[in-house]
């Protein structure tokens, strides 16, 4: 393994707030490294972290395992996965950039495209742009030709999002942020909202959703329950509320095709040496990042 990514999942696992934790398990859901055998032997590859998704596109089989718990993950010299989970590294990416892609990328792609059906011209809201999945979703949406808005707790991150092509954004820390957002769009509502936090914010997500729109939820950073949802808002808008997690092999391959085709470069916020994993986690816990935090396995300390 050359580089592994440090996703939020490892943070929850180390806090023991994740199901099916196996004691002694090696963490790490993402990796870029050299294949030691198989059809890509000797080449730089990345790994699809969903092992044994199964045959249905609708949902994974009961045997799904995600790299890094309970199955040993990538924060190691080497990692063992089935051959079908091994894909060539996109040629335009460095190992560090490529390591930032798999788990966040496949989750974002399935949320935005497979479930959200976003495409050219869609107006898309991505909440909590400081999140790893969120930043991938925003980048993919821009590459697809969507009009992208974001929310954040940080003015600097809103500025950062404008810097990489988003059209606008508001602080979700203000009351009724949806109203402020609709001012920016001249009251035009959203076709797709991609949300990873839930909590009270979900009510605002629904407020800004347009007729026939899709609200896709992939996480619950703000808490395991959501705001009370005004059902008339949901049914009168003919809106869809969709859940998603990880992605199928087809999602992963389609995500990689988009990254290769549009030469998307994942935004890496910072890089730590593997042995500095605790420092990387500390950074993640205060949410100061915009983009992914990557662990580099080849440097002693950075
Ligand atoms: N379903 C899946 O397959 C899957 C995969 C990966 C992650 N997840 C889940 O998705 C969530 C995000 O994970 P991640 O690794 O992408 O994120 P992350 O890197 O841990 O970032 C969390 C971000 O969430 C945002 N946030 C926090 N509280 C918020 C709130 N009340 N409203 C809106 N945004 C808020 C913050 O954005 P700002 O800094 O901009 O304020 C923060 O930077 C987690 O709950 C995680 O467990 C699910």
């Amino acid at each position: 393994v050359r580089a592994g990514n440090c996703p939020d999942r490892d943070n929850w696992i180390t806090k023991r707030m994740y199901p099916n934790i196996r004691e002694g398990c090696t963490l790490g859901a993402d990796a870029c490294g050299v294949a030691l055998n198989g059809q890509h032997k000797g080449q730089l590859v990345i790994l699809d972290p969903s092992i044994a998704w199964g045959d249905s596109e609708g949902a994974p089989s009961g045997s799904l395992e995600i790299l890094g718990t309970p199955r040993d993950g990538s924060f190691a010299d080497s990692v063992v996965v089935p051959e079908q989970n091994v894909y060539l590294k996109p040629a335009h990416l460095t190992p560090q950039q490529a390591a930032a892609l798999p788990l966040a990328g496949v989750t974002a792609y399935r949320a935005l495209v497979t479930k959200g059906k976003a495409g050219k011209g869609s107006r898309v809201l991505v909440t909590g742009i400081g999140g790893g999945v969120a930043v991938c979703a925003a980048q993919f949406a821009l590459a697809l030709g969507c009009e992208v808005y974001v929310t954040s707790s940080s003015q600097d991150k809103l500025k950062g999002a404008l810097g990489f092509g988003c059209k606008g954004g508001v602080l979700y820390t203000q009351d009724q942020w949806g109203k402020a957002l609709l001012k920016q769009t001249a009251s035009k509502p959203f076709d797709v909202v991609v949300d990873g936090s839930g909590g009270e914010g979900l009510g605002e997500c629904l407020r800004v959703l347009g007729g026939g729109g899709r609200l896709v939820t992939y996480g619950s950073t703000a808490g395991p329950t959501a705001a009370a949802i005004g059902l008339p808002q949901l049914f009168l808008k003919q809106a869809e509320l969709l859940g998603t997690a990880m992605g199928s092999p087809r999602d992963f391959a389609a995500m990689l095709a988009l990254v290769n085709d549009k030469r998307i470069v994942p935004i890496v916020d910072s890089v730590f040496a593997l042995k500095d994993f605790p420092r990387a986690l500390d950074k993640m816990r205060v949410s100061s990042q915009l983009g992914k935090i990557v662990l580099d396995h080849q440097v002693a300390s950075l």
Side-chain angles (χ1 to χ4, degrees):
V1 177
R2 291 269 177 88
N5 173 245
C6 172
D8 168 88
R9 181 166 178 265
D10 302 296
N11 181 15
W12 293 114
I13 294 169
T14 56
K15 291 201 252 180
R16 298 186 169 274
M17 291 169 74
Y18 202 88
N20 299 326
I21 293 175
R22 180 170 65 78
E23 291 299 325
C25 178
T26 301
L27 296 178
D30 291 310
C32 177
V34 179
L36 295 177
N37 37 60
Q39 60 165 327
H40 299 310
K41 186 174 175 183
Q43 292 177 288
L44 276 170
V45 294
I46 60 172
L47 307 178
D48 177 353
S50 305
I51 314 283
W53 173 278
D55 296 329
S56 166
E57 287 303 315
S61 71
S63 336
L64 175 73
E65 282 190 347
I66 303 172
L67 214 51
T69 214
R71 178 183 270 261
D72 280 329
S74 61
F75 297 169
D77 290 338
S78 55
V79 55
V80 179
V81 295
E83 188 167 2
Q84 63 266 31
N85 286 68
V86 180
Y87 292 77
L88 282 177
K89 175 186 79 64
H92 66 288
L93 300 182
T94 65
Q96 291 179 351
Q97 291 163 342
L101 193 60
L103 187 142
V106 74
T107 306
Y109 184 90
R110 185 171 170 89
L112 178 76
V113 182
T114 310
K115 297 277 186 163
K117 298 188 171 53
K120 193 172 170 52
S122 303
R123 189 170 303 107
V124 173
L125 171 64
V126 179
T127 60
I129 194 61
V133 177
V135 83
C136 276
Q139 285 189 286
F140 293 170
L142 289 166
L144 288 166
C146 304
E147 201 176 283
V148 183
Y149 290 76
V150 302
T151 68
S152 181
S153 59
S154 147
Q155 278 292 4
D156 284 347
K157 292 186 192 183
L158 291 181
K159 252 189 234 158
L162 294 184
F164 70 80
C166 297
K167 204 152 181 206
V170 294
L171 295 172
Y172 61 72
T173 44
Q174 63 184 305
D175 269 354
Q176 303 198 335
W177 54 257
K179 280 189 181 167
L181 187 62
L182 288 173
K183 271 192 193 155
Q184 292 188 10
T185 64
S187 298
K188 288 188 208 134
F190 286 82
D191 303 302
V192 183
V193 178
V194 176
D195 178 72
S197 48
E200 291 303 309
L202 213 71
E204 293 303 296
C205 292
L206 192 53
R207 179 203 291 271
V208 302
L209 199 64
R214 291 164 296 286
L215 168 47
V216 187
T217 158
Y218 64 86
S220 52
T221 300
T225 54
I229 286 187
L231 287 178
Q233 242 187 337
L234 194 65
F235 62 72
L236 291 175
K237 284 185 177 179
Q238 309 268 342
E240 293 177 64
L241 178 56
L242 301 156
T244 189
M246 303 297 289
S248 68
R250 189 192 287 179
D251 291 319
F252 193 86
M255 180 275 290
L256 263 191
L258 177 70
V259 167
N260 279 316
D261 183 35
K262 304 286 186 184
R263 299 183 72 76
I264 296 168
V265 178
I267 297 175
V268 173
D269 172 89
S270 42
V271 179
F272 289 83
L274 179 59
K275 75 175 188 47
D276 292 332
F277 177 51
R279 282 208 295 127
L281 273 184
D282 286 344
K283 182 174 173 80
M284 180 154 278
R285 284 174 182 159
V286 294
S287 281
S288 59
Q289 78 281 2
L290 175 61
K292 301 293 286 178
I293 298 173
V294 171
L295 301 176
D296 192 315
H297 296 212
Q298 295 199 306
V299 289
S301 203
L302 293 167

